Amino acid sequence: LTSGALGLVLGTVCLGPIARKIDKKYYAAGLSLVTGLCFLSFFFIARGQFGLMVVVNVLAQFCAGPTSALTWALYADVADYGELKYGRRSTGLIYSASLFSIKTGILIGGFLVPLFLAQFGYVKGADTQTAHALLGIAIAFSIGPALFALLKAAALLIYPLNQKRVDAIEQELAARRAAASPAKPG
């Protein structure tokens, strides 16, 4: 957990310099892809390879940290797009809906994971688990998160607002605002 938290912080610190050079849509998609592949690899790493697990975890968290920050920046782009298309800015609604989605996902995940593990014979509080229960744990904490990260990467690739489009939207909004504001006496 500590190494993962350090990776997360380091990845977030590196966000700024890289994000200025790469389109945030593709940056977030690439980071999600690497995160998903790291999570997936946990399923295949042998139990005795603790050092390798730590390295893969640090890499996964290094990529996951900036992805969250980039996603929030993408929400601001959605607000700009909405203002351009509908003439109203709905930033609060967009951020509220995203927070609701996150909290709903946490709720559903917290409910489904124990049900999933029960299907593999996991016994809460048991000193030892069966091989089948251990398989369920491995799937729940490697393949499951990997699939969500890979789905996020795919969704970001089909997301229609790249940086070029966002820049054009910002320019058009600035022109609209300038035209709508009354001229100041000089």
Side-chain angles (χ1 to χ4, degrees):
L1 290 175
T2 301
S3 65
L6 291 173
L8 191 114
V9 169
L10 270 171
T12 304
V13 167
C14 293
L15 170 66
I18 297 171
R20 289 193 239 339
K21 296 176 181 152
I22 300 174
D23 186 321
K24 60 185 167 265
K25 165 188 169 174
Y26 298 112
Y27 186 24
L31 290 170
S32 294
L33 175 66
V34 174
T35 300
L37 293 174
C38 287
F39 287 151
L40 184 62
S41 70
F42 276 118
F43 186 78
F44 301 102
I45 296 174
R47 276 188 211 172
Q49 298 292 320
F50 183 73
L52 181 58
M53 286 181 193
V54 170
V55 169
V56 170
N57 186 45
V58 169
L59 178 59
Q61 297 306 320
F62 180 85
C63 293
T67 306
S68 297
L70 288 167
T71 302
W72 287 99
L74 292 171
Y75 295 150
D77 296 344
V78 170
D80 288 343
Y81 174 78
E83 181 180 357
L84 178 72
K85 185 164 182 162
Y86 302 108
R88 292 188 55 134
R89 189 147 185 95
S90 55
T91 308
L93 182 62
I94 291 165
Y95 282 102
S96 295
S98 64
L99 280 171
F100 177 78
S101 298
I102 291 168
K103 290 179 181 189
T104 302
I106 291 169
L107 174 75
I108 292 170
F111 177 74
L112 292 180
V113 170
L115 294 177
F116 177 81
L117 291 175
Q119 297 301 310
F120 284 85
Y122 173 80
V123 179
K124 181 181 176 183
D127 290 335
T128 58
Q129 299 289 337
T130 66
H132 196 59
L134 293 174
L135 174 64
I137 293 168
I139 292 170
F141 292 95
S142 61
I143 295 174
L147 289 176
F148 282 107
L150 295 173
L151 284 171
K152 180 178 181 177
L156 285 164
L157 290 174
I158 61 173
Y159 172 72
L161 298 179
N162 60 22
Q163 194 59 50
K164 184 178 177 181
R165 177 74 175 121
V166 169
D167 291 343
I169 289 169
E170 288 173 356
Q171 288 175 358
E172 191 169 338
L173 287 174
R176 278 188 191 179
R177 291 177 188 133
S181 66
K184 294 181 182 177

